[in-house]
Amino acid sequence: MKLFKNIICCLPLLAVVFLASCSKDADPVPDEIDGLKFVASLKNETHMVNLYSASGKLTTGYNEIFFQVRKADSSLVVNNISPEWAPTMKTENMSHSSPASAIAPVPGTSFLFSGFIIFPMAGDWELPITYHIDGTAYTSTGKAAVQAAQKRILESFEGSDGQKYVVTMLDPVKPVIDRNDMTALLYRMKSTNDFEPVSGYTIKIDPRMPAMGHDSPNNTDLTFKDGIYKGVVNLTMKGSWQINLQVANEKGEVIKGEPVTEANPASSIYFEIEL
Amino acid sequence: MFRSILILAAVLFCRQAVYSQTDQHQHPHAASADTFTLQELREVVVISQRSASDRSGKPLASLDTYLEKSAAVNMIRRGSYAWEPYLNGMASERSVITIDGMRIYAACTDKMDPVTSYVETTNLASATVHNGPSGSTGGATVAGSLDLVRKKGSFGRGGFNSSIFGGFEANNRLKTGGTGVAYSGETFFANADVTYRHADNYRAGGGTEIRNSGFSKLNMSAIAGYKADEHRHLEASLIFDRASDVGYPALPMDVSLAQAYIASLEYIQHHLSPGVSEWKTKLYYNNVRHVMDDSRRPDVPIRMDMPGWSRTWGFYSQLKGSREKHDWKASLSGHHNHSLAEMTMYSDTPGWKDMYMLTWPGVATRYADLYAEDSYSFREKWKATTTAGLAVHNNLIDNITGLGSLRIFYPGLQKNRTRLLKRLSSALTRETERWLLSAAAGYGERAPGISEGYGYYLFNSFDRFDYIGNPEMRNEKTVTYGAVAAYRRSRLSAKLSGSVFQVYDYIIGKPDAGLSAMTIGAAGVKVYEQLRHARIMTGALEVSYQFGKNWLWTSKAGYRNGKGNGVGPLPLMQPFSYQEALSFTHKSFSADASIGGALKQTRFNPAFGESPLPAYAVLNLSASQLLEFGDRSLTLKAGAENLLDQNYTTFADWNRLPRMGRNIFMNVIWKF
Ligand SMILES: [Cu+2]
């Protein structure tokens, strides 16, 4: 009995010793990925690329993704290797790509990269990342599972101009009863594998509460500034909202989406916000 | 009691008292005073269960019915219970309603619980009305003030006085019952009473049942006084009032609970110095909880709950005195209120969340007030009264969600707003043996009420608009003129009174076509705005004549008229209405027949949901008998209201809700 008690007392001490010894063996600068959660690994014969995100998950819509490249001896590769990525999803007879940003080293870190990918649909995505070490190009690849977002935050559509577009909402992440800053990104599909950001358009918003049919006043449509579409969405109460969209080009011509009227309770493209 | 009325009466012409208790068995109109008392300047309605001689109405009637008899008050009716007092044709935000000087803020966003709903006639002595800004110790006001004066014992006489009372009304099976005990000793007095009422649905004229019109109410009240020495005493008081399952047939929702605790402690000192006769200081606290629900409504577009809370603490300290020909009064008061109301709507679509918002965004009201009054008697028959008050009023939105809600409409909204509210009045009175003439003028300001300033999608079921408050409004201001002429000869007495309220920056909701209604089925959204000018005129005439020894005829008529710049007639204004009564008294028996009615209402405003109303007249009969057995007594009163079972509705009925049809009632009071 007494022995047992002694062991119990010693447990926290043991744990501390154990933790201390662990951290000695770990990466010299593990804090670069503090607060991030592991998502998936990409591999080739010589390297392993670990992907991270804030939630540890990838979902449809906008995802900010971080990664580090590790050698076989598990040492980290310094982030001056100009990586590029080409997310693709293969179905039986089709191959899709997704809008993605360029990749940049995270300022203030030695090994960490970041960029974003807008996944238009859920499923297993191939995520080949190509980088250059000492003049040699390497590609690590692997699959990452993309889950469907809980709310509708992305729309893919064909505009009246015959072009294909993807629009996705970034903010508000934590919507409140108030004026909420709203941001979105709009991409045009140049070819099956190539999306380009669209600037100078207007994303008109009309928030509605479908359970009651009312809107909210004094919203600001999203216009393009500093690489992103920005506006204000007003949420007058808690509940489920639909943000009805109309996308208009530089000339102000609506290329997709319809105004909400009594006969037409929702636009053909909309986002969902829940609070 | 009588003395306190006289003290209060020394203030101004434009005041009316509605008594809920008198021990005098004398009808005020039958009073045989040779000279005027200032009582003539008031409208007096005897309403007590203590009195058998009340010739119209029931001793156990609700406070609402009593107040309705005052010429200055209209009671806006949304059901059988908790009518909203309109002073001089103006909504309750424009007046200050107090219980023994205590400020209480209602907790309902839909005006289902006016302050007057938290007391019972059993524990009230009188209700005093000041018209306009004159004489309002309670605070800044435009329309006037109404103080409900509680009944309390006095020191000295010694012994217990008790009563048991019960009543039944056939129309809505209203059962009233209760008991009161009073003890009076040399250094201690106490009053306590309990009243319970329960009513089922009532039937309108012709027999149509008005669904959701029943209610239950329990009221308990106690006051105790302790005399420290000859000139100093302490009083403690507590009211608990709980109404449950109250139906509001004119509204889309009912109330499952309306509950208030009202407590106070007061220190009173007399004869401080030759010039200062009284010093009163009171601390008080009240807590009101109000729960609206629609669980008894069979079909609603969406189920909702709308609870509200209001807490107030406050104080006043008041000095009274006289010096040569001056009677004066000075008062310092302050209070702090916090009001919050919310609304939850239950989604019946899977995947769509329940909806929630704050309908009152958590508003604190901090208020401090300095008030002074002087009454100067000169050349025997003349009296000049001047009153002045200055208040600091501050509102703070202290709920972050509430502030966020309003910032959608007012992006630059500051959470704090402070105002200065001024009031001033003067009156000149000339009193001779037969005539009493008085003229008065006043200026007053008020801050917007909580709904007007901060309300959020509050549905008005009369005009069917959602209302949004406007926190950026200026003070509403009024300039008021009034006059009274009263005449009395041995058997005849008559009183004619009139007043005009010129209101500037008049607060009213105006439709905003750019906003869409939140409430399903609402016509749109109105936002509170200010009219440059509105005008309200009121007039009343009362005549009574005594025939022989036993007969008394009384006649009353009243009219109001309101007009706002750009909106036309103001809503809920009394058309020409009248009450003719003939009573017979012989010893302790009395009988009474009366006809009350109104002419056709042709001035109405469809923008506020009003439609024209036909004329109506209703006949009432009653008889009462007082039986005395030594120092015990039994009062019996029975009667029939709306004897001919007329189906009618008045200007004061929300959504044109029909009034009660024929109603046979019986009241019994046993005092011992
Ligand atoms: Cu209510």
Side-chain angles (χ1 to χ4, degrees):
Chain A
M1 190 62 205
K2 201 175 176 189
L3 179 72
F4 183 66
K5 207 171 164 187
N6 283 341
I7 290 172
I8 297 282
C9 289
C10 290
L11 272 177
L13 193 67
L14 284 170
V16 168
V17 172
F18 182 73
L19 282 174
S21 59
C22 278
S23 60
K24 236 176 229 169
D25 294 345
D27 304 328
V29 274
D31 55 322
E32 281 191 4
I33 53 164
D34 255 16
L36 297 173
K37 289 185 183 154
F38 176 76
V39 173
S41 287
L42 316 175
K43 288 187 184 108
N44 58 24
E45 286 100 56
T46 46
H47 299 118
M48 184 159 89
V49 178
N50 285 336
L51 303 181
Y52 303 90
S53 77
S55 64
K57 280 187 281 190
L58 300 179
T59 54
T60 48
Y62 176 89
N63 293 268
E64 191 173 21
I65 298 170
F66 298 86
F67 63 85
Q68 290 174 330
V69 182
R70 211 176 273 273
K71 291 183 194 153
D73 64 1
S74 112
S75 64
L76 287 165
V77 176
V78 176
N79 53 9
N80 58 359
I81 53 175
S82 348
E84 284 172 5
W85 50 14
T88 45
M89 182 175 174
K90 291 196 176 78
T91 53
E92 275 173 35
N93 43 19
M94 284 256 287
S95 168
H96 305 273
S97 69
S98 72
S101 69
I103 298 167
V106 176
T109 67
S110 313
F111 312 104
L112 193 63
F113 292 97
S114 76
F116 66 82
I117 301 175
I118 296 164
F119 294 109
M121 63 188 85
D124 282 339
W125 282 75
E126 292 279 352
L127 257 180
I129 296 182
T130 304
Y131 44 89
H132 307 266
I133 300 173
D134 304 328
T136 314
Y138 298 89
T139 299
S140 285
T141 193
K143 280 189 175 169
V146 174
Q147 300 170 10
Q150 293 203 317
K151 293 287 136 197
R152 194 171 178 131
I153 52 165
L154 177 138
E155 291 277 12
S156 308
F157 59 89
E158 188 175 322
S160 57
D161 55 3
Q163 310 254 32
K164 287 186 174 162
Y165 293 87
V166 169
V167 62
T168 191
M169 174 170 66
L170 278 57
D171 280 319
V173 176
K174 284 183 182 148
V176 288
I177 302 179
D178 203 334
R179 294 169 64 76
N180 291 268
D181 287 330
M182 181 170 170
T183 53
L185 291 170
L186 177 66
Y187 281 80
R188 184 193 292 125
M189 199 162 103
K190 261 168 45 183
S191 66
T192 27
N193 295 322
D194 199 5
F195 283 88
E196 60 176 359
V198 180
S199 59
Y201 278 32
T202 303
I203 303 169
K204 298 181 181 181
I205 55 169
D206 183 357
R208 299 269 165 172
M209 201 153 217
M212 308 194 72
H214 63 80
D215 66 6
S216 77
N218 305 331
N219 299 284
T220 311
D221 291 337
L222 280 63
T223 50
F224 190 78
K225 204 186 166 198
D226 304 327
I228 196 162
Y229 286 86
K230 280 184 191 168
V232 175
V233 61
N234 290 323
L235 305 172
T236 52
M237 55 200 287
K238 282 189 184 170
S240 302
W241 288 84
Q242 279 183 359
I243 317 300
N244 294 284
L245 305 172
Q246 289 181 76
V247 177
N249 63 18
E250 302 96 328
K251 294 175 205 152
E253 299 159 353
V254 174
I255 57 160
K256 184 70 182 178
E258 304 76 30
V260 178
T261 59
E262 239 163 83
N264 179 45
S267 171
S268 54
I269 49 171
Y270 63 85
F271 297 143
E272 290 172 336
I273 293 180
E274 202 173 87
L275 68 158
Chain B
M1 177 60 213
F2 190 65
R3 202 188 58 160
S4 78
I5 288 164
L6 284 180
I7 290 168
L8 287 165
V11 184
L12 241 198
F13 88 97
C14 41
R15 148 182 310 156
Q16 289 147 24
V18 182
Y19 301 85
S20 69
Q21 180 263 358
T22 61
D23 288 358
Q24 65 208 89
H25 281 202
Q26 212 173 31
H27 195 284
H29 293 285
S32 57
D34 296 328
T35 56
F36 283 110
T37 64
L38 280 171
Q39 231 178 56
E40 272 308 310
L41 294 174
R42 302 182 301 246
E43 186 196 344
V44 178
V45 184
V46 178
I47 54 180
S48 171
Q49 59 181 53
R50 303 283 187 267
S51 164
S53 60
D54 176 17
R55 292 162 206 218
S56 58
K58 299 164 283 196
L60 296 178
S62 68
L63 177 61
D64 296 341
T65 334
Y66 285 132
L67 292 174
E68 205 174 28
K69 290 177 185 167
S70 161
V73 182
N74 295 130
M75 299 301 286
I76 304 302
R77 192 177 148 273
R78 296 173 171 87
S80 298
Y81 182 75
W83 301 350
E84 181 193 358
Y86 264 47
L87 258 63
N88 292 301
M90 288 179 264
S92 48
E93 287 96 345
R94 292 197 165 81
S95 52
V96 170
I97 301 177
T98 49
I99 298 176
D100 272 344
M102 296 183 279
R103 293 291 297 260
I104 296 174
Y105 285 61
C108 177
T109 52
D110 292 355
K111 301 190 163 188
M112 290 161 152
D113 73 332
V115 172
T116 44
S117 71
Y118 291 113
V119 282
E120 259 297 349
T121 45
T122 335
N123 44 58
L124 287 182
S126 69
T128 310
V129 179
H130 293 269
N131 288 327
S134 68
S136 171
T137 40
T141 170
V142 161
S145 57
L146 170 66
D147 188 37
L148 303 168
V149 182
R150 293 183 67 203
K151 187 164 61 188
K152 59 182 184 195
S154 52
F155 297 109
R157 264 182 283 161
F160 282 95
N161 277 298
S162 307
S163 67
I164 293 179
F165 48 89
F168 181 74
E169 304 195 10
N171 184 299
N172 57 345
R173 307 180 63 77
L174 169 69
K175 295 171 269 294
T176 305
T179 180
V181 183
Y183 171 80
S184 163
E186 285 301 328
T187 58
F188 180 75
F189 75 78
N191 296 55
D193 56 72
V194 180
T195 307
Y196 180 74
R197 295 175 190 266
H198 177 84
D200 295 338
N201 290 345
Y202 74 87
R203 285 173 193 280
T208 321
E209 181 181 347
I210 304 298
R211 301 186 66 182
N212 306 304
S213 63
F215 66 90
S216 298
K217 176 186 170 88
L218 173 68
N219 180 284
M220 295 193 274
S221 150
I223 295 190
Y226 169 73
K227 195 172 188 173
D229 62 39
E230 199 188 341
H231 294 311
R232 295 184 302 159
H233 74 273
L234 266 176
E235 275 177 34
S237 137
L238 185 67
I239 300 174
F240 169 74
D241 189 277
R242 184 179 199 274
S244 51
D245 297 323
V246 184
Y248 289 83
L251 301 178
M253 292 189 85
D254 302 313
V255 164
S256 56
L257 179 74
Q259 184 172 285
Y261 294 92
I262 300 162
S264 68
L265 191 64
E266 186 167 21
Y267 170 78
I268 301 161
Q269 188 173 353
H270 292 285
H271 308 295
L272 278 82
S273 72
V276 183
S277 58
E278 189 185 65
W279 178 39
K280 294 197 288 192
T281 300
K282 180 181 273 190
L283 283 172
Y284 60 89
Y285 172 78
N286 53 73
N287 190 323
V288 183
R289 189 168 150 226
H290 182 84
V291 183
M292 273 189 272
D293 82 337
D294 55 7
S295 55
R296 284 161 184 251
R297 303 297 175 110
D299 24 56
V300 289
I302 195 157
R303 291 269 157 212
M304 53 177 105
D305 280 338
M306 294 180 71
W309 298 267
S310 161
R311 286 189 318 272
T312 310
W313 65 262
F315 76 94
Y316 65 74
S317 189
Q318 200 176 86
L319 283 172
K320 269 185 205 167
S322 54
R323 198 190 133 98
E324 288 163 9
K325 290 177 168 180
H326 289 270
D327 288 321
W328 59 269
K329 186 156 114 182
S331 166
L332 174 70
S333 63
H335 66 266
H336 178 287
N337 167 265
H338 188 264
S339 295
L340 184 132
E342 57 179 42
M343 179 182 210
T344 303
M345 282 164 288
Y346 298 99
S347 161
D348 50 8
T349 311
W352 285 344
K353 284 182 78 175
D354 292 342
M355 288 148 281
Y356 170 88
M357 62 191 202
L358 289 174
T359 46
W360 276 348
V363 184
T365 303
R366 280 85 66 100
Y367 183 91
D369 192 290
L370 195 60
Y371 172 80
E373 185 178 297
D374 176 70
S375 189
Y376 172 51
S377 308
F378 60 104
R379 292 171 59 187
E380 268 181 73
K381 292 174 172 125
W382 290 84
K383 179 176 272 190
T385 306
T386 308
T387 73
L390 182 67
V392 183
H393 176 282
N394 170 274
N395 275 142
L396 169 73
I397 308 169
D398 63 3
N399 184 296
I400 186 88
T401 301
L403 186 63
S405 313
L406 285 167
R407 279 196 174 152
I408 292 173
F409 293 87
Y410 307 98
L413 178 65
Q414 298 297 306
K415 60 181 179 180
N416 231 310
R417 168 112 192 217
T418 303
R419 309 160 181 271
L420 216 54
L421 303 168
K422 304 170 279 293
R423 60 193 192 276
L424 188 68
S425 81
S426 69
L428 194 61
T429 306
R430 185 172 193 273
E431 195 184 318
T432 61
E433 213 167 282
R434 288 195 173 158
W435 283 96
L436 189 145
L437 300 166
S438 181
Y443 172 81
E445 297 176 339
R446 71 161 182 120
I450 292 170
S451 291
E452 294 167 331
Y454 306 98
Y456 197 64
Y457 288 108
L458 296 175
F459 179 60
N460 175 318
S461 58
F462 206 166
D463 62 19
R464 306 203 67 77
F465 274 81
D466 280 339
Y467 276 68
I468 299 281
N470 180 350
E472 295 173 345
M473 288 193 286
R474 299 174 296 278
N475 296 338
E476 187 178 274
K477 300 161 262 289
T478 186
V479 178
T480 311
Y481 312 94
V484 178
Y487 175 78
R488 170 172 282 171
R489 231 177 138 151
S490 55
R491 290 173 170 276
L492 174 74
S493 69
K495 179 178 146 192
L496 179 68
S497 59
S499 56
V500 180
F501 290 79
Q502 300 282 4
V503 187
Y504 302 92
D505 288 322
Y506 185 86
I507 297 171
I508 198 164
K510 282 184 119 178
D512 185 333
L515 299 176
S516 87
M518 190 276 305
T519 305
I520 296 171
V525 175
K526 285 187 181 178
V527 177
Y528 281 104
E529 285 178 31
Q530 295 186 286
L531 305 182
R532 200 177 53 76
H533 173 241
R535 181 204 21 76
I536 293 143
M537 296 197 298
T538 76
L541 175 68
E542 284 176 41
V543 181
S544 73
Y545 190 79
Q546 178 106 31
F547 299 88
K549 229 184 112 195
N550 304 109
W551 296 89
L552 177 74
W553 167 70
T554 56
S555 175
K556 285 187 197 179
Y559 176 74
R560 292 186 219 290
N561 170 310
K563 197 178 82 184
N565 260 19
V567 298
L570 295 176
L572 298 164
M573 286 289 164
Q574 179 185 3
F576 184 85
S577 356
Y578 59 91
Q579 172 97 23
E580 302 296 322
L582 185 64
S583 19
F584 171 83
T585 314
H586 180 68
K587 293 188 178 155
S588 54
F589 173 80
S590 75
D592 173 277
S594 69
I595 295 175
L599 299 189
K600 200 161 80 173
Q601 190 178 11
T602 48
R603 270 180 74 85
F604 60 93
N605 196 329
F608 296 94
E610 291 189 309
S611 48
L613 278 176
Y616 69 87
V618 171
L619 174 67
N620 309 306
L621 294 178
S622 71
S624 72
Q625 177 70 53
L626 175 73
L627 302 165
E628 287 179 300
F629 314 92
D631 56 358
R632 299 170 187 183
S633 72
L634 181 69
T635 305
L636 296 169
K637 177 145 190 172
E641 295 163 322
N642 192 3
L643 184 70
L644 303 177
D645 205 27
Q646 296 279 315
N647 190 304
Y648 72 110
T649 171
T650 78
F651 78 99
D653 296 308
W654 196 256
N655 264 328
R656 301 299 189 228
L657 177 72
R659 295 240 163 187
M660 194 181 272
R662 183 185 302 120
N663 183 30
I664 313 286
F665 69 87
M666 173 83 191
N667 285 179
V668 181
I669 299 158
W670 171 241
K671 293 177 73 177
F672 56 99

